[in-house]
Amino acid sequence: MASALGAQVAAVAPIGSDGRHYRSCSSLKGNNSRNKSWTGKLAWENKTLQPRHTKKVFCMSVQQASKSKCKVAIKPLELENTKEPPLNLYKPKGPYTASIVSVERIVGPKAPGETCHIVIDHGGNPFVHFQGENPKKPGAPNTVRLYSIASTRYGDSFDGRTASLCVRRAVYYDPETGKEDPSKKGICSNFLCDSKPGDKIQITGPSGKIMLLPEDDPNATHIMIGTGTGVAPFRGYLRRMFMEDVPSFKFGGLAWLFLGVANTDSLLYDEEFTNYLQQYPENFRYDKALSREQKNKSGGKMYVQDRIEEYSDEIFKLLDDGAHIYFCGLKGMMLGIQDTLKRVAEQRGESWDQKLSQLKKNKQWHVEVY
């Protein structure tokens, strides 16, 4: 069955204190992203299934999660009954109003740019897209932006009432002065990163099933390749595998994460992943590519495709044995990765085009880039 990990959400309009609906597009994927990955929450299909403890939301922060030494017993288990997330239950003309629970900066001071972990209380209702009024077309909504959900169907509160986003502020720099131009900053990402607990936003969706985590074989191998905020769906997968105690899913396979970022301060959820590595060394592998701190074998910057090439023989063998491989991040990442995989295939005397076609046919190849 497919787990409801990997779907996508869009945030519609934040509600202003003056009562107006500001339609600034954003959704569950990353600012300016078009990703449809749904990593997290499974919408309630029936209000009778909603948990009774609806007045209290307990949210484990990223720091708390990184120090957790035991799995969390999950409720409500009714969420396990739905094999796939229902889609488009809330639309731009009829969005759902949700509340911000917390906004947490998750990068260090030397990271280029700011990335935040944002928890949204949706009350157990299906997720949606973030919209808003288009300043160029008064009365019309902005184009929806999609953000990958960085939590499972149970959310960071483990009760099915929240979903989390991993959002990097979109800022722009004047090429002549080299200074930030605040007039061109991303509407949605900045609204989300500047939001405070209790702020209201409107959301629509869910949409997209490309990044659903298949759970028909709990002993399968999952190779996850992400850059920057593209790590969001993989955080959801790993929480499902290693943090949540769910009777119907006991992971016994291999999860292998490749994460590419600029430097150590840019690593996202690093303590959380390192914790899994210490607790489940037989089931989890974690390799980083830090482009501004590490060198590849040719002496150039270390990108995620360089790290993949280092383990190419092992990766190809795992794929031949049925492993799933996932890619999430900026669209530009795929060109370098595809070139590397093609070169490796040719060195092995294989046709990459034929191999890729077979991976897609077998539903082993999963891509969500933006």
Side-chain angles (χ1 to χ4, degrees):
M1 84 176 190
S3 165
L5 303 172
Q8 145 191 348
V9 172
V12 182
I15 299 179
S17 59
D18 57 358
R20 292 179 295 165
H21 285 193
Y22 297 94
R23 301 182 148 195
S24 69
C25 305
S26 157
S27 81
L28 295 173
K29 196 39 229 126
N31 189 71
N32 298 327
S33 130
R34 305 222 174 4
N35 179 308
K36 296 182 178 179
S37 117
W38 149 293
T39 314
K41 91 163 250 355
L42 188 28
W44 294 98
E45 292 184 309
N46 188 319
K47 289 189 176 181
T48 62
L49 297 181
Q50 293 185 25
R52 295 180 181 178
H53 49 296
T54 55
K55 293 184 179 180
K56 185 176 182 180
V57 175
F58 165 73
C59 183
M60 181 183 288
S61 71
V62 174
Q63 284 79 5
Q64 289 173 320
S66 68
K67 295 177 175 60
S68 177
K69 297 299 182 182
C70 59
K71 287 193 172 185
V72 178
I74 292 300
K75 292 181 180 180
L77 290 176
E78 289 88 347
L79 282 178
E80 295 296 311
N81 297 334
T82 305
K83 302 300 186 295
E84 293 187 358
L87 301 180
N88 303 313
L89 297 181
Y90 287 90
K91 299 181 179 180
K93 291 185 178 180
Y96 178 80
T97 300
S99 301
I100 297 293
V101 174
S102 62
V103 177
E104 184 178 0
R105 178 187 169 100
I106 55 174
V107 292
K110 296 181 180 179
E114 180 180 25
T115 301
C116 296
H117 180 76
I118 301 168
V119 179
I120 300 173
D121 181 0
H122 50 68
N125 288 280
F127 237 111
V128 242
H129 297 63
F130 186 66
Q131 207 173 300
E133 185 167 323
N134 191 331
K136 297 182 180 179
K137 297 180 180 180
N142 268 314
T143 303
V144 167
R145 271 98 165 153
L146 306 178
Y147 293 93
S148 295
I149 304 177
S151 55
T152 73
R153 67 188 75 180
Y154 297 103
D156 284 13
S157 56
F158 304 105
D159 62 2
R161 289 178 51 84
T162 69
S164 302
L165 308 184
C166 180
V167 180
R168 177 172 174 171
R169 285 184 187 273
V171 295
Y172 300 86
Y173 293 87
D174 187 305
E176 295 183 0
T177 65
K179 295 183 179 181
E180 184 179 328
D181 183 352
S183 67
K184 296 181 180 180
K185 66 181 181 180
I187 295 174
C188 213
S189 65
N190 282 274
F191 167 78
L192 290 171
C193 289
D194 288 335
S195 58
K196 301 291 187 295
D199 285 354
K200 305 296 183 182
I201 63 170
Q202 291 180 327
I203 51 180
T204 62
S207 63
K209 298 192 294 183
I210 292 175
M211 295 294 278
L212 287 175
L213 176 66
E215 294 187 347
D216 53 321
D217 180 5
N219 297 317
T221 294
H222 303 273
I223 302 169
M224 300 162 280
I225 301 166
T227 57
T229 56
V231 75
F234 308 139
R235 188 219 184 211
Y237 295 173
L238 296 172
R239 286 172 72 89
R240 174 74 169 175
M241 295 169 180
F242 303 127
M243 183 177 289
E244 298 177 345
D245 184 6
V246 181
S248 59
F249 179 68
K250 301 295 183 182
F251 183 67
L254 172 65
W256 192 352
L257 174 63
F258 290 87
L259 176 58
V261 293
N263 56 23
T264 301
D265 272 22
S266 302
L267 287 168
L268 305 173
Y269 310 110
D270 183 58
E271 290 186 20
E272 197 168 312
F273 300 152
T274 300
N275 188 31
Y276 300 147
L277 193 61
Q278 295 171 348
Q279 294 187 67
Y280 305 95
E282 301 300 319
N283 303 99
F284 182 50
R285 294 176 65 172
Y286 179 30
D287 286 280
K288 313 166 193 177
L290 309 179
S291 61
R292 299 188 185 181
E293 295 180 2
Q294 299 172 332
K295 300 293 183 182
N296 60 26
K297 65 181 182 180
S298 300
K301 292 183 177 181
M302 174 67 77
Y303 292 109
V304 70
Q305 61 263 31
D306 300 311
R307 200 59 86 189
I308 292 170
E309 187 171 11
E310 291 182 3
Y311 297 97
S312 58
D313 285 341
E314 191 172 358
I315 289 173
F316 270 64
K317 184 180 184 303
L318 290 171
L319 292 174
D320 289 341
D321 291 340
H324 290 270
I325 189 165
Y326 309 82
F327 304 88
C328 189
L330 292 175
K331 187 179 296 183
M333 70 181 271
M334 289 307 296
L335 180 60
I337 290 173
Q338 290 266 35
D339 286 346
T340 296
L341 293 174
K342 182 177 181 179
R343 182 173 62 256
V344 170
E346 292 173 348
Q347 292 171 352
R348 294 165 56 91
E350 301 180 57
S351 166
W352 173 244
D353 290 340
Q354 291 181 7
K355 193 172 194 69
L356 178 58
S357 177
Q358 191 62 44
L359 290 172
K360 291 180 178 179
K361 182 178 180 180
N362 295 342
K363 298 183 179 180
Q364 296 172 248
W365 184 263
H366 313 264
V367 179
E368 269 302 341
V369 292
Y370 42 93

